[in-house]
Every structure is written in structure tokens, then in C-alpha cells.
Amino acid sequence: MVIDINLSNPEAIHHPAGQGPIPQPSLNRMSQYHHYLMELQDQGIDRVSCSRIGADLNLVPVQVRKDLQYTGIIGKPKTGYVVAELILAIESFLGWNNVNEAFLVGAGNLGTALLGHERFTKFGLQIVAAFDSDPSKIGQWVHGKAVLPLDKLADLAQRMSIHLGIITTPAEAAQTVADEMIRGGIQAIWNFAPARLKVPTHVIVHSEDLYSSLASLSWKLAQRFHVPIQQEGGTPDGVDANCG
Amino acid sequence: MVIDINLSNPEAIHHPAGQGPIPQPSLNRMSQYHHYLMELQDQGIDRVSCSRIGADLNLVPVQVRKDLQYTGIIGKPKTGYVVAELILAIESFLGWNNVNEAFLVGAGNLGTALLGHERFTKFGLQIVAAFDSDPSKIGQWVHGKAVLPLDKLADLAQRMSIHLGIITTPAEAAQTVADEMIRGGIQAIWNFAPARLKVPTHVIVHSEDLYSSLASLSWKLAQRFHVPIQQEGGTPDGVDANCG
DNA sequence: ATAGATTCGATCTATGGTTATCGATATAAA
DNA sequence: TTTATATCGATAACCATAGATCGAATCTAT
């Protein structure tokens, strides 16, 4: 799950097509649609309707339609959308057709996992180098990326115009790393360390907060086992919701 | 970010204290409060008010108060809450005072990272064994946990009454693994593989969906760089929101 | 060519979550 | 002891998101 630290006010979120602000939940569903459409394409299906998408993704058709409208795609009555077009629309909407070069800090297991995830390139994410402060890791190559000393980050980020930083260090190091990134002019941080980052308001922070997920998960498990009383319309199974 | 697959209807989510259903966002904020309160405790602070929490966490006090009420804690006017009590209240509310034993499948980098994360035990999560289908990994020990063959999972889960499964395999394997887990009577799945899992409705699924996060992140970055026009109350920085 | 079925796009309504308000209560200061 | 202030808990207003409805458009089948 994600907690974005510098919230202040959830303000209007506008998008290019000028269709007004897009709700965060809609934005979150985009990748789901994208993934699903890629599957359709693999199966040789070239047209799809909102009803179909909704049925397969457990969403009500109207919601799908609304979400897709944000991408600027237009569909035809009775036929629906052209799958290929729709994929492109989503990719362009999300900026996945442009490359985002990124620096990753923290060449541990998690960092290594991300470095090895070639599929990111399909979504415009290109991790170009890794950094660490552990001398034993510096100079190594991980999945074809050099591990450089952390103190080179700011300068390199600036010279290479890197806008995105990924933090996969332990919690203690996270703030220091974030500060370095900001010093290097990095605009957005994808943070996997379980720490609240203090950043200037112009910096975008997305934190993957495992504990938050774990919290919902264990709460729901606890519910199931310690609250045998379940007496209403919804089945005991209905304890789920999206965005857990 | 998290997408929970078997949604159907986001139905009422009830909790023990009987204060009515708890909103998912509130649930997600719980771990944040918990983390913050632990910090306070480390600093020797023993009382705290909602205003204080809100100021430090960028939340409006009234929201904090409401969230905390779900845990059943009661505070005193003018003083606020006793930190130690509050921590206990949250832990008990989330079920973090009970142990959840879990099996993890997929002893790759990500799996290894999770297996090595001792801090999980503080939150009631105890990963008791790892599984894999790669013969070269079977029989190894990772961070003190044995890596067993996948086909032993269902039987062991049943005999040991394991309720929680963690999937850290590649996407292709995820569904097979989930099926095995369900065969073993597992109730909840924490899925890190980028795949939609098909599960019976009684099984809780929490998927950490990296692509969804990446989608928001790259959208926001794209917004920043490709839409120089930003003409309203909110600053261009205000593009953030929680739950990205 | 026409009738029927299906789906899109737009508008409207309902739900759920967030934020504001108000009285009550506890502490601190006068 | 009294008064002022801060905070809690509850209720109510508000806003964002989700869902329902309806007309218009397009395709298929007769």
C-alpha cells in the first residue's frame, strides 16, 4: 500500500486531456486495466466493451467507462473500444511511453530484486544505476547495473538529469538518502523503506508501506478468527475491499 | 499499493469494539499512528493529543481522533491519550498481539528480503518456512528458515494450521501457488507477484501492486514535466494525495 | 430497410469518508 | 475557588467517489 507523505490537501489533480481532475482511485486502477488489456491482446482479441472489462475485473461497467474516459479514449457504441488503441491511450496517459530514468539506493535483497525486474522498462522505468554506502557492495555489478558510492549520487543525478529516485535501504538510512536525492534535484521518490520522509513540498513521495498492508491483513484475519458473530446481509467473506 | 481482488461489494467492515464499520483508509493509517507513537515513546513522551499527532503526521486532528476511536481507546480532555495505552490499543485492535504464522513461497530476492525482516515479528507476523519449486533452492536455509519443496506446502499448512501465505514468485507461478495455499486451508494471501489471483470468496487477498504505484508516480511525473500550464489555487506541488 | 439489442457518453443520485462544529470535561492559572 | 483554555466525544455538514439512469449512436438480424 502507499502512503504519500506530503499530503497537505488532496487538492485537485488535473490531467492533460482537460477532463477535469482524476480521482486517485481511478489512477490506481489504470495499471489493472493495462495489464488486463495486454492479456486480451495476447489472446488476439481486438475489441472490448466496458461490460466485458467490468465482468472480468469485478468492477461495475460504469466505473470502467468513467476511468477510461480520463485517458481521452473514445469508444463506439455497441462495439466498445479497440484494444490496441486503449492500451496506447493508457500508456500515454500514464506517461509510460516516455522513459523515466531512475537511481536506486540500497543494493540489498529488495534493491537487487527491483534492479533485476526488466519488466519495468515496459512501463517507462529505467533504473540506470544503483548506490550504496557499504564499501563491500560498491564497485559490484547487479543485474548489469553498477553499484556506486552514495556520495556520488547528487552530482550524478544533476548532471544526468535524473528525476526519479528509489529507496530500498533500511529505515534508518532513508532520510539521509532522500536528502541526497533532493540535493541532486530529484523530483520524485519511490520509497520502500518503512520511514516517513521529510521532503520539500515540491517533491513527490510514494511510500510502499508494508506495515500498512500488514495492518489491514492482520486486522482482517483477527476479525475472522476472533469475531465469530457475523450477523448481516453480507457474508463473513465480504470483509474485503479494494485498496487494502 | 494494494488491490484486493475479490471485491464484489466493499460491504460493511465491522470491528470488535462494535463502533460500527471501519473505513479502509482509517485502517491503513493505523500503522502510521503506531510507528509514530513508538517514536514518541522512545523520546520518553507519555501523553499525546490528537492535535499533536495531526500536526506531526499532516492530518487534521479530527481525523486522528476518529481513527483512534475505532481502537476503543478513550482519551481525557485537555490531556489527550496515554501513549503506552494507545500503542497497546492499536496493537490489540490490529491483532498484532497475536502471532500469525505464515508460509512464504518464492525464495528469490524479494522472498529473501522478507524472510530476513525480523521486525515483522513485532507485528505478529512469523514466517515459519519458505517454499520453492527450484531444486537448487530446496534444502537451503534462508535467514534461518528452511526452503522446502512446494508440493509439501498444502499438507504442512493443514497440519500446522497456517492461515497466512505470502507469494513472492514471478507472476507466472502465482496462481498455481495460490491454488496450493488454498488447498492447504490458507485463509489469507499476501501477494507480491504482479498477477490477479482467482480465489474463492472466503479467502482474503492483499496484492502489493507495484505497477499501480508506478502508474501514479509516473503519471504525476509526466504531469509535472509535460503540463507547464498550472493555473489555479493549488500549487503545481499539490499534485499529491494519499493512497497513491 | 427496419427493429431490436447493445454500448457509449453525460447527467444525476447515493454512499462513504472527511472535515467542521458544539457541548462537556479536565487541567492550569489567577 | 473561580476562570480560562485545551481537548475529547458526538453530531452534523460537506465533498469525493461510486453507482444508476437515460438518450443517442451503432451494429446485427430479420
Side-chain angles (χ1 to χ4, degrees):
Chain A
M1 138 4 99
V2 164
I3 291 187
D4 197 334
I5 299 307
N6 53 345
L7 28 140
S8 53
N9 52 352
E11 279 289 329
I13 302 185
H14 288 78
H15 86 288
Q19 301 239 13
I22 178 174
Q24 183 68 46
S26 299
L27 199 45
N28 288 336
R29 283 187 292 268
M30 285 297 171
S31 70
Q32 207 183 345
Y33 296 131
H34 184 267
H35 184 233
Y36 168 76
L37 291 166
M38 298 293 276
E39 285 177 351
L40 285 191
Q41 205 171 43
D42 286 349
Q43 292 163 31
I45 297 166
D46 63 343
R47 271 139 207 280
V48 68
S49 70
C50 289
S51 348
R52 174 80 182 276
I53 299 178
D56 290 340
L57 259 40
N58 277 314
L59 297 166
V60 45
V62 139
Q63 185 169 49
V64 177
R65 197 171 302 126
K66 239 179 165 184
D67 286 341
L68 296 182
Q69 278 176 351
Y70 287 113
T71 67
I73 189 97
I74 57 173
K76 266 203 226 160
K78 183 84 180 188
T79 14
Y81 305 89
V82 177
V83 173
E85 274 179 20
L86 192 41
I87 290 175
L88 286 177
I90 293 175
E91 289 177 350
S92 134
F93 174 73
L94 292 177
W96 281 356
N97 46 355
N98 298 314
V99 177
N100 276 318
E101 288 186 322
F103 278 171
L104 179 147
V105 180
N109 276 308
L110 180 54
T112 302
L114 294 182
L115 286 169
H117 204 81
E118 313 89 1
R119 215 180 327 174
F120 278 146
T121 59
K122 300 226 180 218
F123 307 103
L125 176 61
Q126 177 83 32
I127 306 179
V128 292
F131 294 81
D132 209 301
S133 51
D134 177 354
S136 75
K137 283 183 182 144
I138 293 167
Q140 305 270 12
W141 289 77
V142 177
H143 292 296
K145 278 102 178 188
V147 180
L148 307 172
L150 181 55
D151 51 33
K152 295 256 194 271
L153 185 142
D155 183 50
L156 270 175
Q158 218 149 35
R159 284 176 21 209
M160 297 175 66
S161 300
I162 302 293
H163 298 308
L164 180 57
I166 304 174
I167 301 181
T168 52
T169 64
E172 303 75 58
Q175 184 61 57
T176 313
V177 170
D179 293 344
E180 277 302 285
M181 286 179 168
I182 289 157
R183 206 163 66 80
I186 274 178
Q187 303 275 321
I189 294 176
W190 199 4
N191 174 38
F192 290 80
R196 277 197 315 284
L197 299 181
K198 291 253 177 207
V199 300
T201 51
H202 71 275
V203 175
I204 302 166
V205 175
H206 270 237
S207 288
E208 298 296 323
D209 187 345
L210 284 195
Y211 297 123
S212 168
S213 290
L214 183 54
S216 321
L217 199 49
S218 48
W219 182 82
K220 287 173 188 171
L221 265 174
Q223 283 300 100
R224 174 158 306 179
F225 290 113
H226 307 316
V227 195
I229 342 97
Q230 268 287 4
Q231 195 55 269
E232 48 220 284
T235 67
D237 312 335
V239 215
D240 44 19
N242 48 0
C243 193
Chain B
M1 157 325 121
V2 164
I3 290 186
D4 197 335
I5 299 308
N6 53 345
L7 31 138
S8 55
N9 53 351
E11 280 290 327
I13 302 185
H14 289 78
H15 85 289
Q19 302 237 12
I22 178 172
Q24 183 69 44
S26 299
L27 200 46
N28 287 337
R29 282 187 292 268
M30 285 295 170
S31 70
Q32 208 183 344
Y33 296 131
H34 184 266
H35 183 234
Y36 169 77
L37 292 165
M38 298 294 275
E39 285 177 349
L40 285 191
Q41 204 172 43
D42 286 348
Q43 292 162 30
I45 297 165
D46 62 344
R47 270 141 207 280
V48 68
S49 69
C50 289
S51 346
R52 174 78 183 278
I53 300 177
D56 289 340
L57 259 40
N58 278 314
L59 298 166
V60 310
V62 98
Q63 184 168 52
V64 177
R65 196 171 302 127
K66 231 177 165 192
D67 286 343
L68 296 183
Q69 278 175 352
Y70 287 114
T71 67
I73 189 97
I74 57 172
K76 268 202 226 161
K78 184 85 178 188
T79 10
Y81 305 89
V82 176
V83 173
E85 274 180 20
L86 192 41
I87 291 175
L88 287 177
I90 292 176
E91 289 177 350
S92 135
F93 174 72
L94 292 177
W96 280 356
N97 47 354
N98 298 314
V99 177
N100 276 319
E101 288 186 322
F103 279 171
L104 180 147
V105 181
N109 276 308
L110 180 53
T112 303
L114 294 182
L115 287 169
H117 205 79
E118 315 88 1
R119 217 183 322 180
F120 278 146
T121 59
K122 301 228 181 217
F123 306 105
L125 176 60
Q126 178 82 33
I127 306 178
V128 293
F131 294 82
D132 209 300
S133 53
D134 178 354
S136 74
K137 283 183 182 143
I138 293 167
Q140 304 271 11
W141 290 77
V142 178
H143 292 296
K145 278 102 178 186
V147 180
L148 307 172
L150 181 56
D151 50 34
K152 295 256 194 268
L153 185 141
D155 182 50
L156 271 174
Q158 217 148 35
R159 286 178 18 212
M160 298 175 66
S161 300
I162 302 292
H163 299 308
L164 181 57
I166 304 174
I167 300 181
T168 52
T169 63
E172 304 76 57
Q175 185 62 57
T176 312
V177 170
D179 292 344
E180 276 303 285
M181 286 178 168
I182 289 157
R183 207 162 66 80
I186 274 178
Q187 302 277 320
I189 294 176
W190 198 4
N191 174 38
F192 289 80
R196 276 197 315 285
L197 301 180
K198 292 251 177 210
V199 301
T201 51
H202 71 276
V203 175
I204 302 166
V205 176
H206 269 239
S207 288
E208 298 296 323
D209 185 345
L210 284 194
Y211 297 123
S212 168
S213 290
L214 184 55
S216 312
L217 201 49
S218 49
W219 183 82
K220 287 174 188 171
L221 264 174
Q223 283 299 101
R224 174 158 307 179
F225 289 113
H226 307 315
V227 193
I229 341 98
Q230 267 289 3
Q231 196 52 270
E232 47 222 283
T235 66
D237 311 335
V239 216
D240 43 18
N242 48 0
C243 191

